[in-house]
Amino acid sequence: MTETMSPSRNHNASALSLHVPEPAARPGDQPIVAHIREVSTAPQPKPPIDVAPDKITALAYGLIRVLDDEGKAGGEWNAHLSPDLLRRGLRAMMLTRAYDERMVRVQRQGKSSFYMKSTGEEAVAVAAAFALDRQDMCFPTYRQQGLLVARDWPLRDMMNQVYSNTGDRLKGRQMPVFYSSREAGFFSISGNLCTQYSQAVGWAMGSAASHDTRLAAAWVGDGATAEGDFHYALTFASVYRAPVILNIVNNQWAISSFAGIAGGDATTFAARGLAYGLPALRVDGNDFLAVYAVTQWAAERARANLGATVIELFTYRQDAHSTSDDPTRYRPKDEPQAWPLGDPIDRLKAHLIAIGEWDEERHTALSAELAEHVKAEGRASEALGTLHDGARLDPASMFDDVYKEMPPHLVRQRAEMSSY
Amino acid sequence: MPTMNMIQAINAAMDVALATDPKVVIFGQDVGYFGGVFRATDKLQQKHGLTRVFDAPISEGGIAAIAVGMGAYGMRPVVEIQFADYIYPGTDQLISEAARLRYRTAGEWWSPITVRTPYGGGIFGGQTHSQSPEGIFTHVAGLKTVIPSNPYDAKGLLIAAIEDDDPVLFFEPKRLYNGPFDGHHDRPVQSWSGHADSDVPEGHYTVPLGKARVVRQGSAVTVLAYGTMVHVGLAAAQETGIDAEVIDLRTLVPLDLETIVASVEKTGCCVVIHEATLTCGFGAELAALVQQHCFYHLEAPVERVAGWDTPYPHALEWHYFPGPARVGAALKRATER
């Protein structure tokens, strides 16, 4: 230690040390998921929507579940959803997964540059979409494609975006999976993390200021809660009592960083909401019924002008972060299988079978039907071109939409480009 | 026609915008009940109501984000950043989001927002109450950058900015709020009364974005200026006796290149002046454009007079600020041939 590094070091005091959180298991280790904050799966009470946030602090530290490990539904949060709604939910989750699988395959074939799956997190998006009104505006991250699927948005349109083909409404300007659909209430995805989280609060404030009835719902990952926009969102949502649902999808991983690097070791992500005076719920993100129930509760609260709710969806990112990522370089290969809260599709399927509203035969048939559907939509999309083959976008369109009307300097640049 | 100073003109513009369009909403730090630290929003909350004009937390990033979200909803937010020096926490939302929303969604969404912010030096504001960060924003595709130099333009340009469907950065030269300033800090402070551009019509009118104004006709040299430097340029022309044509750009992006080129082709030389630091300032873009479009008419190198490449100093303000002496010397250099 040089003098210049610590000129006033007190030699009588014990030396400090820097704490750098590390996950309990790395490649080659036995997967240890018990280190992931000891979760209480005890039944949680369902408070009235006008409850004071400081009266339900335990809900920010426990885990709201409706489905138990055997697929039985119970507890105060059981919304007794109709079998028909549950089957539609199961279908949307299965379709999301089938779509993800095809789009990774075509990326590997070089037909697109990039893709991101949501495997294991389908309930997070799909159940929320079912609990919201179609008119409510969603501010998603890049991993809530299930919202579009649940709102019956055409897969072909999503594929056109992934391929940046001539059918791409975004004209090839955005990387794959950065969808936008005003019609489906799915706000434009940005590469900049968490920016949409605070924008959703602004949208909700606009709705309230206009005496509208629509809500906003926003999603952010565990990693991106560390961004300043997370703090802006919670502050403004609380100050102006904005009708917004602030979802935090804790899938335990931000690319290679485990949730502890985002501050997840010290407390829960839900608990952050409490300090802003917002009710905060922590829910089993792989439990379709529970995600539906908490979203419905938060939506009722917002619709009653009682303001925002923070929801942590406790789940697990089963697959790679993206097609550019290899998770076996930073976590045990079999950690996804060791995840104690299972898989959202398997769990809803088991529940439907347990209540006599589903069976293996129908499940297999639905699987096959969805695979066919994805394939057919894929063929139709590829007919409009892929990133490198087939019909091409008009290069001059690159200069459109920078401004509402093209200013003179862009007119000059467009002419120059067209001359080459 | 009433005489207004620049603050009153800006206040009047927002008053008109609030009255004409129910989607206009104004917020920022201290802009509500108190009426703003510069009085720009004085009495607007009392007149138009708490949900149209309101105070915001001290969070430039949050203010910018809320504006983008409200704009996406369909409102027309006009937000204030108390000093341009404090706009940086909001830049991610302005650069990554507001500027690109229309483009990345191919017109599905857009950001019809206006960001008002006092900028510029000459008030002993030191490092964080004097900056001119316009060059950071003129570099961003999708943003418009507007800077008025007098009360008439301030009202007309601000109404035009608010009504524009693209995101506009509206930089207000705070040194000009109460009166014109030509850089002669040692002379008595002037007020706007009696100045031709302080006659401000009541009600609605606009000054179009993207159009410069020739403030002084001349034949010897073209001076490209905006904000406070317009007045410095005029003073330098008068004091040197050089017949300079002074152009107030008013909008930096989109730029009125036509007016610039016509003038330089006539005068054969050009001096670019701004308060912002020299290197990679907006003057570099202006000099490059003049060189490209007027090369065969130029009789001398394009001169740039700007703030030095240092942070804005407090005690040494008048050694830093590009006043009439420095601009006058550049006019002489450009015209001695």
Side-chain angles (χ1 to χ4, degrees):
Chain A
M1 185 84 55
T2 65
E3 280 290 312
T4 51
M5 276 179 73
S6 51
S8 58
R9 185 171 166 187
N10 180 352
H11 291 276
N12 297 321
S14 59
L16 297 166
S17 63
L18 179 69
H19 171 66
V20 180
E22 266 291 288
R26 285 295 194 185
D29 295 339
Q30 278 289 106
I32 306 168
V33 284
H35 72 280
I36 294 168
R37 177 166 283 277
E38 202 53 49
V39 287
S40 161
T41 53
Q44 301 290 328
K46 184 180 181 184
I49 56 168
D50 60 352
V51 68
D54 62 349
K55 300 287 182 262
I56 53 164
T57 57
L59 291 178
Y61 296 94
L63 196 71
I64 295 169
R65 301 181 91 198
V66 173
L67 291 177
D68 65 15
D69 293 339
E70 279 71 51
K72 279 208 209 75
E76 292 179 20
W77 285 93
N78 185 6
H80 301 282
L81 302 177
S82 72
D84 180 54
L85 190 150
L86 295 178
R87 277 188 294 262
R88 286 192 290 129
L90 181 69
R91 183 184 192 279
M93 291 200 288
M94 289 168 70
L95 184 54
T96 304
R97 189 166 293 185
Y99 170 71
D100 277 352
E101 276 160 18
R102 179 174 176 97
M103 296 327 281
V104 163
R105 261 200 321 279
V106 297
Q107 191 276 339
R108 297 299 186 219
Q109 293 163 5
K111 292 177 181 175
S112 76
S113 63
F114 182 76
Y115 193 74
M116 302 177 100
K117 296 166 92 174
S118 63
T119 312
E121 301 172 43
E122 292 88 349
V124 163
V126 171
F130 276 79
L132 292 168
D133 276 357
R134 169 93 181 189
Q135 307 306 320
D136 296 333
M137 186 60 70
C138 298
F139 288 75
T141 75
Y142 45 67
R143 223 184 289 281
Q144 277 83 50
Q145 53 265 55
L147 293 169
L148 282 169
V149 175
R151 286 182 166 179
D152 293 323
W153 192 248
L155 292 187
R156 197 179 310 186
D157 185 80
M158 297 166 69
M159 290 164 163
N160 292 345
Q161 197 281 329
V162 171
Y163 286 133
S164 284
N165 66 19
T166 54
D168 177 12
R169 289 178 298 105
L170 310 186
K171 301 185 183 175
R173 294 180 189 152
Q174 284 261 58
M175 270 176 74
V177 314
F178 290 8
Y179 311 107
S180 175
S181 172
R182 193 179 184 117
E183 205 183 322
F186 187 96
F187 188 73
S188 158
I189 292 171
S190 162
N192 298 65
L193 295 183
C194 206
T195 49
Q196 82 290 346
Y197 210 58
S198 43
Q199 289 164 8
V201 178
W203 196 97
M205 287 170 64
S207 180
S210 308
H211 307 297
D212 197 344
T213 57
R214 292 178 291 165
L215 315 178
W219 284 262
V220 70
D222 47 287
T225 60
E227 294 282 5
D229 275 289
F230 179 78
H231 166 65
Y232 306 151
L234 270 63
T235 300
F236 281 74
S238 172
V239 168
Y240 300 105
R241 223 172 279 173
V244 61
I245 302 172
L246 295 167
N247 295 294
I248 303 159
V249 184
N250 177 6
N251 69 11
Q252 318 301 326
W253 291 95
I255 308 186
S256 73
S257 306
F258 85 119
I261 287 292
D265 276 356
T267 182
T268 70
F269 290 98
R272 286 152 167 79
L274 296 174
Y276 294 84
L278 298 172
L281 313 174
R282 193 164 182 247
V283 61
D284 177 352
N286 292 4
D287 177 346
F288 182 95
L289 283 78
V291 175
Y292 185 101
V294 295
T295 307
Q296 190 181 44
W297 187 87
E300 277 175 25
R301 237 184 83 75
R303 272 184 235 291
N305 223 26
L306 294 165
T309 303
V310 172
I311 300 174
E312 175 184 348
L313 300 121
F314 199 66
T315 182
Y316 188 86
R317 194 193 79 210
Q318 286 187 20
D319 220 308
H321 165 71
S322 73
T323 49
S324 306
D325 175 48
D326 173 9
T328 65
R329 295 175 66 90
Y330 50 81
R331 72 184 190 191
K333 210 177 191 141
D334 47 354
E335 194 176 88
Q337 289 72 43
W339 178 246
L341 300 176
D343 177 273
I345 294 177
D346 292 349
R347 285 177 61 194
L348 183 57
K349 174 192 170 192
H351 172 65
L352 273 164
I353 291 175
I355 60 173
E357 294 287 347
W358 199 239
D359 53 53
E360 288 292 351
E361 252 172 58
R362 278 197 272 181
H363 195 83
T364 309
L366 178 61
S367 267
E369 179 204 318
L370 295 177
E372 261 320 300
H373 175 57
V374 171
K375 205 185 287 178
E377 292 289 294
R379 276 195 295 263
S381 176
E382 290 188 27
L384 301 174
T386 60
L387 182 62
H388 303 294
D389 293 308
R392 313 313 302 151
L393 289 161
D394 174 12
S397 72
M398 186 196 318
F399 298 93
D400 295 334
D401 305 317
V402 180
Y403 299 92
K404 187 177 185 183
E405 280 154 34
M406 195 179 297
H409 68 287
L410 287 181
V411 173
R412 287 196 300 274
Q413 289 173 28
R414 184 178 61 177
E416 185 190 342
M417 190 210 65
S418 301
S419 72
Y420 298 119
Chain B
M1 208 179 280
T3 294
M4 291 189 192
N5 65 28
M6 199 187 271
I7 279 288
Q8 291 163 330
I10 286 164
N11 181 281
M14 287 187 277
D15 190 24
V16 166
L18 284 161
T20 18
D21 185 351
K23 292 184 188 130
V24 170
V25 57
I26 292 172
F27 57 96
Q29 291 154 27
D30 303 301
V31 309
Y33 185 85
F34 180 57
V37 294
F38 289 106
R39 319 307 303 152
T41 53
D42 190 31
K43 298 196 171 62
L44 295 180
Q45 183 181 74
Q46 287 79 353
K47 186 168 172 188
H48 297 279
L50 197 60
T51 60
R52 302 287 308 282
V53 182
F54 55 88
D55 289 320
I58 303 173
S59 174
E60 292 80 7
I63 290 168
I66 296 303
V68 173
M70 278 187 143
Y73 174 82
M75 314 280 280
R76 203 170 276 281
V78 182
V79 300
E80 177 180 305
I81 301 295
Q82 206 158 73
F83 287 87
D85 314 63
Y86 302 131
I87 203 168
Y88 308 119
T91 46
D92 189 30
Q93 286 287 344
L94 297 175
I95 294 174
S96 311
E97 301 291 322
R100 297 184 186 153
L101 189 54
R102 183 189 294 281
Y103 190 73
R104 76 176 197 233
T105 66
E108 195 168 47
W109 268 286
W110 57 94
S111 272
I113 70 173
T114 303
V115 180
R116 290 182 42 246
T117 186
Y119 92 108
I123 59 147
F124 281 107
Q127 298 193 19
T128 57
H129 298 82
S130 308
Q131 293 171 37
S132 299
E134 68 275 9
I136 292 170
F137 299 96
T138 55
H139 189 56
V140 179
L143 295 179
K144 293 181 177 175
T145 302
V146 177
I147 303 180
S149 71
N150 61 70
Y152 179 89
D153 282 356
K155 182 175 173 186
L157 286 168
L158 182 53
I159 293 176
I162 293 169
E163 292 176 352
D164 197 282
D165 282 333
D166 293 315
V168 180
L169 272 290
F170 194 84
F171 289 98
E172 301 167 1
K174 57 183 157 324
R175 178 65 218 220
L176 301 184
Y177 273 158
N178 294 310
F181 177 67
D182 61 11
H184 285 294
H185 55 92
D186 45 351
R187 295 181 188 169
V189 173
Q190 299 172 50
S191 85
W192 279 107
S193 70
H195 193 284
D197 295 327
S198 70
D199 283 342
V200 178
E202 301 210 51
H204 182 280
Y205 71 93
T206 58
V207 171
L209 306 187
K211 294 281 175 235
R213 173 189 174 207
V214 179
V215 184
R216 184 191 190 280
Q217 303 264 359
S219 58
V221 53
T222 299
V223 176
L224 302 181
Y226 49 88
T228 305
M229 294 304 288
V230 171
H231 303 275
V232 177
L234 289 170
Q238 199 194 354
E239 288 157 22
T240 55
I242 294 172
D243 187 23
E245 179 146 299
V246 179
I247 299 180
D248 179 356
L249 298 174
R250 301 199 289 198
T251 302
L252 306 191
V253 178
L255 183 69
D256 185 355
L257 186 61
E258 227 174 295
T259 299
I260 295 171
V261 170
S263 177
V264 178
E265 286 186 350
K266 179 176 73 175
T267 63
C269 48
C270 181
V271 174
V272 176
I273 58 179
H274 59 58
E275 290 181 63
T277 48
L278 181 73
T279 301
C280 296
F282 190 66
E285 180 63 26
L286 291 171
L289 285 169
V290 167
Q291 185 274 145
Q292 184 195 348
H293 292 273
C294 310
F295 185 77
Y296 296 107
H297 292 84
L298 282 174
E299 296 161 20
V302 177
E303 290 276 348
R304 284 188 288 160
V305 184
W308 307 120
D309 284 335
T310 69
Y312 203 108
H314 179 248
L316 302 177
E317 171 144 59
W318 301 116
H319 296 274
Y320 176 92
F321 186 90
R326 271 175 66 199
V327 175
L331 295 182
K332 284 181 192 148
R333 283 198 302 275
T335 50
E336 277 167 10
R337 50 182 189 262

